[in-house]
């Protein structure tokens, strides 16, 4: 739902590290409608219609789950 998507994006923004901390960790693509994140090099990384990039830890903190149940790191 739209409310769920907004809450996920807000939580991701609030927990996303900035500066040097943002450079640490694996960058993932979070498909915001499904709340599933995709790892670099996978088919859907950056390829879904709606989503955003963030660190894997920020995605987990926002409640996203890994695609196919496999974490990146």
């Amino acid at each position: 739902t739209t409310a769920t998507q907004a809450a996920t994006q807000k939580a991701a923004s609030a927990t996303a590290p900035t500066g040097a901390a943002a450079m640490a960790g694996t960058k993932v693509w979070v498909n915001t409608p499904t709340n599933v994140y995709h790892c670099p090099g996978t088919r859907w990384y950056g390829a879904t219609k709606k989503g955003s990039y963030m660190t894997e830890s920020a995605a987990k903190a926002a409640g996203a789950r890994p695609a196919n149940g496999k974490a990146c790191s």
Side-chain angles (χ1 to χ4, degrees):
T1 66
T2 303
T4 303
Q5 292 170 6
T8 299
Q9 290 174 343
K10 184 177 179 181
S13 297
T15 59
T18 58
M23 299 306 288
T26 303
K27 284 282 188 179
V28 298
W29 174 256
V30 179
N31 181 342
T32 49
T34 63
N35 212 24
V36 171
Y37 69 84
H38 303 275
C39 303
T42 60
R43 178 180 179 190
W44 296 108
Y45 184 77
T48 61
K49 288 183 180 181
K50 294 182 180 180
S52 63
Y53 292 100
M54 63 182 76
T55 64
E56 185 173 15
S57 59
K60 288 178 181 178
R65 61 182 175 83
N68 301 316
K70 298 178 184 176
C72 302
S73 53

